[in-house]
Amino acid sequence: MPFRRSLIKNSWVIRPQGWAHTTLTQTPIDSFRGVMVLVCLFAVIWVWHLMSVALTAPMDNVEQLVWSHSLEWGYHKHPPLPTWLLALPARLSGYSALASTVLGGACTLLSALIFWNLVRKIWGRPSAYIALLAALCITFYNGRLNYYNHNTVLMLCVSLSAHCWWMILTTGRTRWWMGLGASAGLGMLSKYQYLLVLAPSAFLIWQLKPWHNRKQLHGLGWAVLTAAALWSPHLLWLMQQDLADSPIHYALKTSKPTFSQDSIDLSQRLHSGLWLMDLVLNRCLPALLLLLGLKALSEPERSESPASPSQISGNRFLWLWGVLPSLSITLLGLLAGMDLQMQWGTAYAIWIVPPLMMALGLHQRWICAPLTWLALGLFALIQSLLLMQSYHTSFYGCCANTAPHRWRMFDSHTLAEELDASAREAVGGTFKIIAGPTNAAGAVSLALPDKPKVLIDHNLKISPWIHPQELHFAGVVELWPPGTGPDDRNILPSGWGWRLYTEPQEQH
């Protein structure tokens, strides 16, 4: 019975000649049940931790809960799908922050499972398991697992699109074209940044050449029609809005595009490079360390047969999704002078893992069981370090004073208690509406037992869940940050001020 070198250095295993690789590599931990156990434990630990170390819910969660009081075809900053998805859970839970936390974690982890399943189809179970472990090390998906915003829903739509594309390439069935159209339409209803999917999609269409195949051409037509049917109501709504109160204005305001090459200075170009470095060497650094650790502690076996055409096509497919979207964002900064936001990589960072694995040679189907156990051990170590870092930089940690301005340091519950004690009698016993900055007013609203609605920045145009007549009834207060507001405001111990609502023309 011959011996063959295992993947773990300086160790040997007996492998009878002629055994199928799949028999040797399958282990309980990389099975579907093992993956589900891993994901559930990961979710419980991180969600519990993040909720226990933060004084208030994430800013984006608060914003979505504020918007969820009304179902609209669009909101002043973003398209409507994330708010629609939250509306029912928020109402059933009494507008609890937990509803947004659970939904945000579900979107992120469902995206990761779709990613794992697609990699499994291309590379097999062991490599897919390692890819999933590495993906869950990316800080977008652990330290922000409790986030619910447009990026988390967009991530789900991107994962669905990638899965549909692979099924189109391998089966050619029309239903997957329609699934692609649905994921595209829902993606555009999540965030306009879904357009970055056009880069790998255009390349795949060019390779597929559906105009040479009537069935595929019909499938492409169905995809376009499905996407248009889902997105057109929002597009019509968008055309009816004032530019100043529309998502287009917000997108232009945050990205600050400059389409003249003469006005793009060196600092803007450097910022684009720093954005890409931050994505790969900061957000994805724990994933890279896990893969480098596996590379250092193992030596891949030599494949006994050349890669099949389907394997080569799968590798090329994963390269496309891992490189083109992130590269497109970088080029927007280099060529259009956009102010790239660091969180823009949220929906696409997970797809960087397969190219990293290919670069390190950790993507073969014949990876043996010891390597998957080693990967799990490294994963547990990295997650423990990330949990420690998160705790030490929280309100309760030793490094809390290094970033006191962070949103999770905002003590919304104390502010709500102060407002309750000072203003409840004046508002007639019930808080119905709080007018003020969306984040602070929203967080205070969630902390009050009344769960009042929020009048964002005293602006009815961007607060469609409030009827103007509601402002004339009792229970409406204005909230002002420290050092701001009219002279007749009541000052709370924290420095925030409040007063009963008055007409806008009377405000200072």
Side-chain angles (χ1 to χ4, degrees), residues 20 72 90 111 210 233 237 256 303 322 354 390 502:
E72 306 292 333
S111 303
W237 173 88
K256 303 174 184 176
S303 178
S390 176
T502 58

Side-chain angles (χ1 to χ4, degrees), residues 224-283:
V224 173
L225 287 175
T226 303
L230 289 172
W231 191 60
S232 56
H234 172 69
L235 179 61
L236 293 175
W237 173 88
L238 195 62
M239 295 171 61
Q240 297 170 0
Q241 303 306 303
D242 292 335
L243 180 61
D245 299 325
S246 72
I248 298 296
H249 177 264
Y250 176 76
L252 294 174
K253 179 182 177 182
T254 54
S255 60
K256 303 174 184 176
T258 304
F259 297 104
S260 172
Q261 288 294 317
D262 296 335
S263 57
I264 302 177
D265 57 27
L266 180 61
S267 63
Q268 289 174 305
R269 299 184 189 278
L270 289 176
H271 174 68
S272 302
L274 290 174
W275 181 89
L276 186 60
M277 291 179 63
D278 174 80
L279 177 64
V280 178
L281 300 179
N282 181 19
R283 316 289 176 164

Side-chain angles (χ1 to χ4, degrees), residues 36-255:
M36 292 306 297
V37 170
L38 169 74
V39 169
C40 290
L41 284 175
F42 177 86
V44 170
I45 292 172
W46 269 104
V47 168
W48 173 82
H49 164 78
L50 293 170
M51 292 185 67
S52 65
V53 299
L55 296 180
T56 191
M59 188 182 298
D60 291 342
N61 296 41
V62 172
E63 184 176 65
Q64 286 300 315
L65 286 164
V66 169
W67 295 0
S68 66
H69 282 85
S70 176
L71 294 179
E72 306 292 333
W73 279 111
Y75 299 86
H76 72 287
K77 288 172 61 175
H78 290 295
L81 181 60
T83 311
W84 291 352
L85 296 178
L86 180 60
L88 183 58
R91 180 161 298 187
L92 292 177
S93 66
Y95 294 95
S96 167
L98 180 61
S100 63
T101 296
V102 171
L103 189 55
C107 286
T108 298
L109 295 178
L110 183 56
S111 303
L113 288 173
I114 294 172
F115 165 80
W116 164 79
N117 186 54
L118 178 55
V119 176
R120 181 186 62 83
K121 290 177 181 292
I122 297 173
W123 285 344
R125 277 172 42 182
S127 292
Y129 186 73
I130 291 174
L132 177 64
L133 293 180
L136 294 179
C137 286
I138 298 173
T139 57
F140 281 132
Y141 314 134
N142 46 62
R144 294 190 175 189
L145 187 61
N146 60 332
Y147 276 51
Y148 179 70
N149 55 28
H150 294 79
N151 290 316
T152 56
V153 180
L154 175 64
M155 179 186 177
L156 180 57
C157 295
V158 171
S159 295
L160 288 170
S161 296
H163 182 266
C164 288
W165 259 120
W166 179 250
M167 298 306 295
I168 289 170
L169 295 174
T170 54
T171 70
R173 294 179 179 175
T174 302
R175 67 184 183 188
W176 292 113
W177 279 107
M178 297 183 69
L180 177 64
S183 61
L186 295 175
M188 288 298 292
L189 288 175
S190 301
K191 193 173 184 180
Y192 303 146
Q193 197 184 90
Y194 179 85
L195 289 171
L196 293 171
V197 171
L198 288 177
S201 295
F203 186 89
L204 291 171
I205 290 174
W206 176 76
Q207 278 203 323
L208 192 60
K209 295 179 173 57
W211 46 87
H212 291 165
N213 184 308
R214 178 174 296 182
K215 181 180 178 181
Q216 297 304 316
L217 185 61
H218 287 169
L220 179 60
W222 276 112
V224 173
L225 287 175
T226 303
L230 289 172
W231 191 60
S232 56
H234 172 69
L235 179 61
L236 293 175
W237 173 88
L238 195 62
M239 295 171 61
Q240 297 170 0
Q241 303 306 303
D242 292 335
L243 180 61
D245 299 325
S246 72
I248 298 296
H249 177 264
Y250 176 76
L252 294 174
K253 179 182 177 182
T254 54
S255 60

